[in-house]
Amino acid sequence: MESVSELWLKFNEYSNRLASALGRTSNIVGEYAEYLAYQHYGGKLLDISGASADIESENGSLYQVKSRKIKRTTSTQLNVIRSWDFDYLVVILFTEDGAILQAIEVPVSVAKEYGTPNSHQNGWVITTSRTFLNDRRSKNITMAIAALNK
């Protein structure tokens, strides 16, 4: 069995390699989710400094991508949304092992209904409640995103 320090060194080696392959930031879960969404929608990845969207599709639709790695419950808080200047919120939830648990495409008008102002973070937060994840106005893209995660 590997020691904790050996696992730590391997973790960092692979984290650094993955961050380098994704080429944007060290937020590997978020960057990988953006990569998968980009593979799904096409178009172009936008600058990482942008507050609004992460992807612009070929037809001009703007997508904001949020993700989380889930350990126990699917109800978690997504990172802050600083602007509603996008067309769709894409939420990708990963299992502890990195598989796709759920992926949804949420129209911005629906996402706004679930957003709660957070002055401390200067934006809005959304909790991935059952109601939010199963809102029938959203599009379930789990199978399509999972197919890209192989």
Side-chain angles (χ1 to χ4, degrees):
M1 181 175 197
E2 295 170 292
S3 71
V4 170
S5 59
E6 289 171 323
L7 292 170
W8 172 250
L9 293 173
K10 285 182 180 181
F11 166 79
N12 283 284
E13 175 190 353
Y14 282 96
S15 293
N16 291 336
R17 287 171 62 185
L18 187 54
S20 177
L22 292 169
R24 291 167 59 90
T25 71
S26 59
N27 172 4
I28 293 172
V29 174
E31 293 299 334
Y32 187 59
E34 288 177 16
Y35 168 82
L36 291 172
Y38 169 67
Q39 295 299 310
H40 178 69
Y41 294 108
K44 66 179 179 176
L45 282 169
L46 301 175
D47 291 338
I48 57 176
S49 59
S52 302
D54 298 306
I55 299 165
E56 182 177 4
S57 70
E58 291 178 8
N59 70 6
S61 293
L62 296 173
Y63 297 86
Q64 172 71 257
V65 181
K66 298 293 182 188
S67 61
R68 280 284 190 254
K69 198 172 188 183
I70 303 298
K71 292 188 179 187
R72 291 180 189 88
T73 176
T74 56
S75 184
T76 186
Q77 202 172 75
L78 299 173
N79 281 345
V80 66
I81 295 170
R82 301 205 190 281
S83 162
W84 296 108
D85 294 334
F86 55 88
D87 300 301
Y88 299 96
L89 174 65
V90 176
V91 178
I92 301 176
L93 301 179
F94 296 94
T95 66
E96 278 188 89
D97 298 329
I100 304 300
L101 179 64
Q102 187 168 359
I104 57 173
E105 176 187 293
V106 185
V108 68
S109 59
V110 175
K112 281 181 180 180
E113 292 177 24
Y114 291 95
T116 302
N118 185 310
S119 59
H120 177 71
Q121 295 184 57
N122 192 30
W124 297 264
V125 293
I126 292 176
T127 300
T128 58
S129 65
R130 234 177 250 248
T131 305
F132 172 75
L133 292 173
N134 296 308
D135 191 304
R136 54 189 167 76
R137 297 170 292 173
S138 298
K139 181 178 178 183
N140 188 320
I141 58 171
T142 304
M143 297 300 285
I145 298 296
L148 297 168
N149 190 40
K150 297 194 181 229

